[in-house]
């Protein structure tokens, strides 16, 4: 089975990486594709260019075997709809089970995703949850797809919904951006190589820090 882990990754952090590793092992994935979006369809456009977000993902996953940083959404015009991404993966892997992994926050907004019901034509959906997390009432369309056993996902290539408990790390890219803009150190929230990249490219600075840097460099 192949896993798909999409996101803005602005920047990638240990919340993403730890859950990615856990699901890769738990689902015995032959590959986990990390797919940064170019133009997120459901949120404000990130201030950091997609190529830079991709470069940070590459640094973060450089020594992780079975992780693959996939640039397909960067090379596609228009909004980065996950349903289009899954359609291209299905074409490439017609016989393989595909699993799309999303966090609880993303799952809460699933019904706003472009053609969200069609996601299940191409892949299973696994929601990465916290232990004892209450599941809100699911629409019938989703209820009918829930499976209780992880191994059931091996029996078909797509179409099921599963909730997987993962280690909850309370880290978000928003917190990291806020810390950096406040001049604080984000160490231990994301890989050192990514922090070095952020410093080198002066990302996420507040407008005052930004103009100070530009003055110092001029
Ligand atoms: P932001 O703070 O900018 O909204 P984010 O940290 O939530 O960013 P995204 O790139 O938007 O990161 O998230 C990509 C995917 O990773 C989503 O499915 C999201 O639910 C999941 N995710 C993000 N942070 C965590 C975390 N700490 N633990 C588990 N999953 C996470």
């Amino acid at each position: 089975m192949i896993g798909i882990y999409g996101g803005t990754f602005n920047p990638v952090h240990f919340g993403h990486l730890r859950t990615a590793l856990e699901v890769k092992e738990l689902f015995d994935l032959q590959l986990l594709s990390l797919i940064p979006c170019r133009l997120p369809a459901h949120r404000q456009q990130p201030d950091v260019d997609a190529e830079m977000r991709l470069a940070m993902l590459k640094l973060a996953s450089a020594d992780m075997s079975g992780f693959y940083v996939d640039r397909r959404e960067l090379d596609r015009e228009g909004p980065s709809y996950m349903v289009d991404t899954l359609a291209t993966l299905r074409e490439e892997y017609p016989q393989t089970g595909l699993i799309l992994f999303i966090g609880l926050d993303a799952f809460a907004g699933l019904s706003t995703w472009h053609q969200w019901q069609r996601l299940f034509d191409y892949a299973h959906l696994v929601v990465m949850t916290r232990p004892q997390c209450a599941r809100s009432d699911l629409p019938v369309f989703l209820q009918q797809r829930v499976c209780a056993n992880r191994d059931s996902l091996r029996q078909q290539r797509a179409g099921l919904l599963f909730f997987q408990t993962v280690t909850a790390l309370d880290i978000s890219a928003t917190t990291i951006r806020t810390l950096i803009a406040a001049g604080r150190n984000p160490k231990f929230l994301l890989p050192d190589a990514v922090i070095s990249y952020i410093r080198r490219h002066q990302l996420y600075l507040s407008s005052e820090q930004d103009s100070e840097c530009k003055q110092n460099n001029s």
Side-chain angles (χ1 to χ4, degrees):
M1 288 195 294
I2 291 178
I4 298 121
Y5 196 125
T8 318
F9 301 114
N10 186 32
V12 59
H13 53 69
F14 287 138
H16 301 128
L17 294 164
R18 179 65 218 168
T19 48
L21 175 58
E22 286 186 16
V23 297
K24 169 151 186 318
E25 291 180 339
L26 285 166
F27 291 84
D28 196 18
L29 302 174
Q30 61 200 78
L31 191 74
L32 180 64
S33 253
L34 301 161
I35 310 189
C37 61
R38 188 177 76 88
L39 275 180
H42 311 100
R43 52 188 298 171
Q44 217 188 332
Q45 175 60 15
D47 47 356
V48 169
D49 181 67
E51 292 289 351
M52 286 185 150
R53 291 183 278 113
L54 177 117
M56 291 190 273
L57 254 183
K58 281 195 170 165
L59 287 170
S61 55
D63 58 354
M64 295 301 302
S65 98
F67 280 28
Y68 173 66
V69 179
D70 184 329
R71 59 171 294 121
R72 74 184 59 220
E73 292 193 355
L74 273 61
D75 296 333
R76 207 167 67 217
E77 291 295 308
S80 304
Y81 293 127
M82 182 50 80
V83 69
D84 297 338
T85 300
L86 293 184
T88 60
L89 281 159
R90 174 50 73 211
E91 256 176 47
E92 270 168 50
Y93 300 101
Q95 303 306 333
T96 309
L98 297 179
I99 307 179
L100 172 64
F101 292 95
I102 62 174
L104 257 188
D105 56 335
F107 182 63
L110 184 71
S111 63
T112 66
W113 290 24
H114 181 63
Q115 300 186 343
W116 66 274
Q117 289 157 315
R118 283 189 51 224
L119 299 171
F120 291 91
D121 295 343
Y122 302 118
H124 299 303
L125 185 69
V126 169
V127 183
M128 303 177 289
T129 66
R130 298 191 156 81
Q132 279 106 42
C133 183
R135 251 166 251 164
S136 51
D137 285 342
L138 295 176
V140 176
F141 178 88
L142 291 177
Q143 267 171 35
Q144 289 167 338
R145 287 171 168 72
V146 175
C147 63
N149 185 337
R150 198 161 51 223
D151 292 335
S152 313
L153 301 186
R154 296 206 161 270
Q155 283 152 27
Q156 55 192 78
R157 294 173 315 151
L160 299 174
L161 172 63
F162 184 73
F163 291 85
Q164 175 63 55
T165 300
V166 291
T167 304
L169 294 180
D170 193 6
I171 303 173
S172 74
T174 305
T175 311
I176 292 170
R177 295 193 300 272
T178 308
L179 276 178
I180 296 172
R184 291 176 56 195
N185 189 344
K187 195 170 169 66
F188 308 127
L189 296 175
L190 68 173
D192 287 342
V194 178
I195 297 179
S196 303
Y197 184 95
I198 290 171
R199 293 203 173 124
R200 201 162 54 251
H201 295 274
Q202 300 171 357
L203 306 182
Y204 310 120
L205 301 180
S206 64
S207 38
E208 296 89 73
Q209 290 167 321
D210 205 20
S211 36
E212 232 171 77
C213 280
K214 281 181 186 138
Q215 270 174 12
N216 291 342
N217 292 340
S218 63

